[in-house]
Amino acid sequence: MEKPIYLKDSEDAKLFNELRKKVNQRVEAIPENRDIYIQIKAVILPLLYFGLYVFALFNAENAGLYILSFVLMGLSLVLIYLNLIHEAAHNNIFKSKKLNSLVLQIFDFVGANSYIWKKRHIASHHAYPNVDGWDTDIEQSGVLLIVPWIKAKGVQKYQHRFFFLVYPLYLFNWMFIRDFRDFFDNNRVILKTQGAIPVKEKVKMIAYKLFYFFYQIAVPVLFFKVSIGLALGAWFLQVIAASIFALFVLLPLHPLPDNAFPKLDGKNGLPFSWLHHQFEVTNDLQENNWFVRNVLGNFNFHVAHHLFPNYSYAYYNEITEEIEQFARDYGLNYKRFPIATALGKHVELLKQNANNAYFILEE
């Protein structure tokens, strides 16, 4: 199938070249190499995750400490994703692609799959954000409807009433269903951009999944006398905590009623140029403090990431200042909301889609 084609606009191309020049100059004027801080985290955060695991094992007789350690592992897992996995996929941590690839493989040890996630993120989400049928991040599950112009069916008509029961299961779906479907289901979005997946990657995916469940559940039971109930319960709470934390970070950035979900025309053409598309489908968050910048990987500055993915999040503060000014100068649709407002808007999107508001407006 032919891939989507962005609207060709020579003026927009010139605009982006101008913005890129301003951003490059701004970043080059920063004397320090801020990526060193991310490189330090590449050591500290995995040690934190597996340190908590070891701590849990050696305190297995204390059920409260064991459970708390696993819950904290879930939170640290999200920090690993925000600070390391995401940046490694873009080769932004080290100059060496091999070192970035090594960091990316941490994902394989925590229940996900580094190979297919990078393909999803780079070749699908970054290439066609918010484009139904091409962006894996909005691929429909059948339970929740994210794309406004698709008619709600079945339980989707009640999604705004039960979504809070589904979202905590986000990473369970990822571990047990999503990865396997992306590897073996020919109808999945990823195969439109990926093509055939090497057999060795399929074998590695299954092997790492088995190893993950072995050390997470079997090792505590077999070697540290943890009851099966406690082992399963602590692991379950770890994944629940990680799911809620991850979605708290990810949901406010794209799937909002203020952002576009562009439809392809009959020739697979998109209605916006690449530059306008990034502004139309993405928003930033107003929160900008030490914790967000240094612990949460500057996830608040998401427009900068989509426009300049070749820079690490350590430079997004200055890059966003340039983007905001540029958007004001040229009337680009830059959006920024408080995180509580953005999360509320996401719920409103679910409600609108459940009630088929798009079709009501069309009629």
Side-chain angles (χ1 to χ4, degrees):
M1 183 181 292
E2 184 181 353
K3 294 180 180 180
I5 303 168
Y6 284 101
L7 179 69
K8 289 181 171 57
D9 189 320
S10 58
E11 289 303 313
D12 276 6
K14 290 178 182 177
L15 277 182
F16 181 65
N17 285 334
E18 183 180 338
L19 175 59
R20 180 165 51 193
K21 184 178 179 180
K22 289 177 180 291
V23 165
N24 289 342
Q25 289 175 343
R26 181 72 180 271
V27 173
E28 288 168 4
I30 297 171
E32 63 177 330
N33 174 22
R34 296 179 182 173
D35 291 337
I36 187 67
Y37 301 112
I38 307 178
Q39 293 166 13
I40 293 171
K41 292 178 188 178
V43 177
I44 293 175
L45 289 177
L47 286 177
L48 173 63
Y49 181 85
F50 290 106
L52 286 165
Y53 171 72
V54 172
F55 180 80
L57 293 182
F58 284 97
N59 289 275
E61 74 285 350
N62 187 324
L65 270 181
Y66 187 87
I67 292 171
L68 177 62
S69 298
F70 267 71
V71 169
L72 292 176
M73 284 170 65
L75 301 181
S76 64
L77 167 58
V78 179
L79 298 183
I80 288 171
Y81 169 78
L82 292 173
N83 289 274
L84 304 181
I85 303 302
H86 191 231
E87 294 303 313
H90 291 280
N91 292 308
N92 285 340
I93 301 178
F94 299 100
K95 291 182 179 179
S96 166
K97 287 187 177 181
K98 289 184 178 180
L99 285 177
N100 286 306
S101 178
L102 189 63
V103 172
L104 189 62
Q105 287 178 42
I106 295 171
F107 228 22
D108 297 314
F109 290 92
V110 294
N113 180 266
S114 61
Y115 173 84
I116 206 69
W117 182 82
K118 183 174 181 179
K119 296 296 182 183
R120 288 184 196 128
H121 189 67
I122 304 297
S124 178
H125 175 64
H126 266 269
Y128 314 108
N130 272 24
V131 178
D132 181 54
W134 291 90
D135 180 0
T136 56
D137 282 11
I138 60 167
E139 191 165 11
Q140 301 304 302
S141 66
V143 178
L144 298 177
L145 178 62
I146 300 298
V147 180
W149 45 266
I150 296 177
K151 203 170 185 71
K153 298 178 181 178
V155 296
Q156 294 172 346
K157 296 179 181 180
Y158 310 98
Q159 62 183 16
H160 55 298
R161 297 176 183 172
F162 67 79
F163 73 92
F164 59 90
L165 299 175
V166 176
Y167 278 165
L169 305 177
Y170 172 64
L171 290 182
F172 291 104
N173 176 69
W174 190 335
M175 291 176 181
F176 290 106
I177 299 174
R178 186 182 184 190
D179 281 345
F180 286 94
R181 289 192 66 190
D182 280 350
F183 270 94
F184 299 106
D185 186 345
N186 291 329
N187 295 320
R188 296 289 283 177
V189 166
I190 188 65
L191 293 183
K192 295 180 181 180
T193 52
Q194 162 62 28
I197 296 174
V199 174
K200 70 173 184 178
E201 293 298 338
K202 296 178 180 179
V203 173
K204 283 171 60 179
M205 186 269 288
I206 294 173
Y208 273 115
K209 294 276 188 187
L210 290 174
F211 177 71
Y212 169 76
F213 290 112
F214 175 73
Y215 84 80
Q216 289 274 335
I217 298 170
V219 167
V221 172
L222 295 176
F223 302 104
F224 291 88
K225 298 181 180 180
V226 175
S227 69
I228 294 177
L230 178 57
L232 287 173
W235 171 77
F236 181 82
L237 291 174
Q238 175 193 168
V239 181
I240 290 286
S243 297
I244 294 171
F245 190 13
L247 288 176
F248 179 82
V249 172
L250 298 175
L251 288 177
L253 302 173
H254 287 290
L256 307 184
D258 306 73
N259 292 333
F261 292 82
K263 295 178 71 172
L264 297 169
D265 62 23
K267 296 182 179 179
N268 256 27
L270 287 162
F272 306 116
S273 67
W274 179 85
L275 175 65
H276 269 77
H277 186 97
Q278 309 312 313
F279 280 99
E280 293 295 334
V281 304
T282 315
N283 62 273
D284 279 351
L285 300 176
Q286 285 186 2
E287 286 72 18
N288 181 18
N289 51 53
W290 183 92
F291 184 77
V292 171
R293 289 194 299 272
N294 295 282
V295 178
L296 300 184
N298 255 342
F299 80 100
N300 55 321
F301 291 143
H302 206 59
V303 177
H305 176 61
H306 272 268
L307 289 173
F308 299 98
N310 57 308
Y311 283 117
S312 77
Y313 67 78
Y315 300 95
Y316 286 174
N317 196 46
E318 288 83 359
I319 291 174
T320 299
E321 288 179 2
E322 296 295 331
I323 290 172
E324 282 190 278
Q325 184 58 52
F326 199 80
R328 284 193 293 268
D329 291 344
Y330 293 98
L332 295 169
N333 190 22
Y334 177 79
K335 303 176 290 292
R336 195 169 183 175
F337 310 113
I339 189 168
T341 300
L343 288 168
K345 285 176 176 289
H346 176 73
V347 175
E348 184 60 32
L349 176 70
L350 294 178
K351 185 176 182 180
Q352 289 177 12
N353 292 352
N355 294 327
N356 292 317
Y358 178 88
F359 290 91
I360 293 171
L361 291 173
E362 285 287 293
E363 292 170 3

